[in-house]
């Protein structure tokens, strides 16, 4: 068996053309640790879980709303007088739910388009009321 390795070594020396180890130069200039194969199993102690108190859901402060806008808040499925950011979240949620591109049937798609128009008008009226304090008519939107 040793004869096999000697033959193999002589073939490699002939092929390389020298007796010097070609990898010796790379090893001499190396600093730091050698890399491992990465298949070592490291035992890690699991982190201790801590109990987290559930957050109390705080009701938003509501403000008085004109009677003309109570139906618009109902369209957005929020309580009348909640802040605009709650209305915006509800508006986005309803648009995702009723968007016509999500629905496959043509008749249902037309019905969803009218629902989306109603949702958009209601949100626009609420948004204008929050910014200016004036209630807009549906015709002017």
């Amino acid at each position: 068996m040793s004869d096999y390795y000697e033959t193999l070594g002589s073939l490699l020396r002939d092929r390389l053309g020298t007796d010097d180890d070609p990898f010796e130069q790379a090893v001499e200039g190396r600093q730091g640790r050698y890399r491992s194969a990465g298949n070592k199993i490291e035992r890690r102690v699991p982190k201790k879980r801590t109990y987290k108190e559930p957050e109390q859901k705080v009701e938003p402060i509501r403000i008085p709303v004109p009677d003309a806008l109570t139906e618009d808040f109902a369209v957005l499925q929020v309580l009348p007088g909640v802040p605009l950011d709650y209305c915006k979240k509800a508006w986005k949620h309803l648009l995702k739910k009723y968007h016509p591109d999500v629905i496959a049937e043509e008749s249902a798609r037309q019905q969803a388009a009218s629902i989306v128009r109603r949702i958009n008008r209601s949100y626009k009226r609420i948004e204008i009321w929050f910014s200016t304090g004036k209630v807009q008519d549906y015709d002017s939107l």
Side-chain angles (χ1 to χ4, degrees):
M1 194 65 161
S2 65
D3 197 30
Y4 172 77
Y5 288 112
E6 287 178 22
T7 308
L8 185 61
S10 65
L11 284 172
L12 284 173
R13 275 192 294 283
D14 291 343
R15 197 75 169 137
L16 295 172
T18 178
D19 282 341
D20 297 333
D21 186 9
F23 302 104
E24 184 177 348
Q25 194 177 35
V27 173
E28 284 178 5
R30 181 169 173 76
Q31 295 178 357
R33 297 178 6 185
Y34 286 100
R35 298 174 81 180
S36 63
N39 57 359
K40 291 183 182 178
I41 298 174
E42 294 181 15
R43 298 281 177 186
R44 295 183 181 156
V45 179
K47 293 182 180 179
K48 196 172 189 179
R49 293 185 180 182
T50 58
Y51 177 72
K52 186 177 179 182
E53 287 286 331
E55 294 181 13
Q56 296 287 334
K57 202 168 194 181
V58 179
E59 285 292 322
I61 298 173
R62 293 172 38 193
I63 57 175
V65 175
D67 291 335
L69 289 177
T70 53
E71 189 177 334
D72 294 322
F73 279 98
V75 167
L76 293 180
Q77 300 175 359
V78 293
L79 294 172
V82 294
L84 187 61
D85 57 337
Y86 281 84
C87 295
K88 189 171 187 176
K89 285 179 187 176
W91 172 63
K92 286 183 178 184
H93 174 74
L94 290 172
L95 284 182
K96 286 179 186 176
K97 184 177 178 181
Y98 292 109
H99 199 279
D101 292 344
V102 178
I103 300 168
E105 299 174 16
E106 185 63 35
S107 62
R109 190 179 301 162
Q110 291 172 355
Q111 185 179 6
S114 67
I115 292 171
V116 166
R117 278 193 297 273
R118 178 70 191 268
I119 292 169
N120 283 332
R121 283 182 186 156
S122 296
Y123 177 71
K124 190 69 174 173
R125 285 185 69 190
I126 293 170
E127 188 179 34
I128 290 170
W129 178 69
F130 268 104
S131 62
T132 64
K134 297 178 183 176
V135 178
Q136 287 275 341
D137 292 334
Y138 281 112
D139 299 333
S140 63
L141 293 178

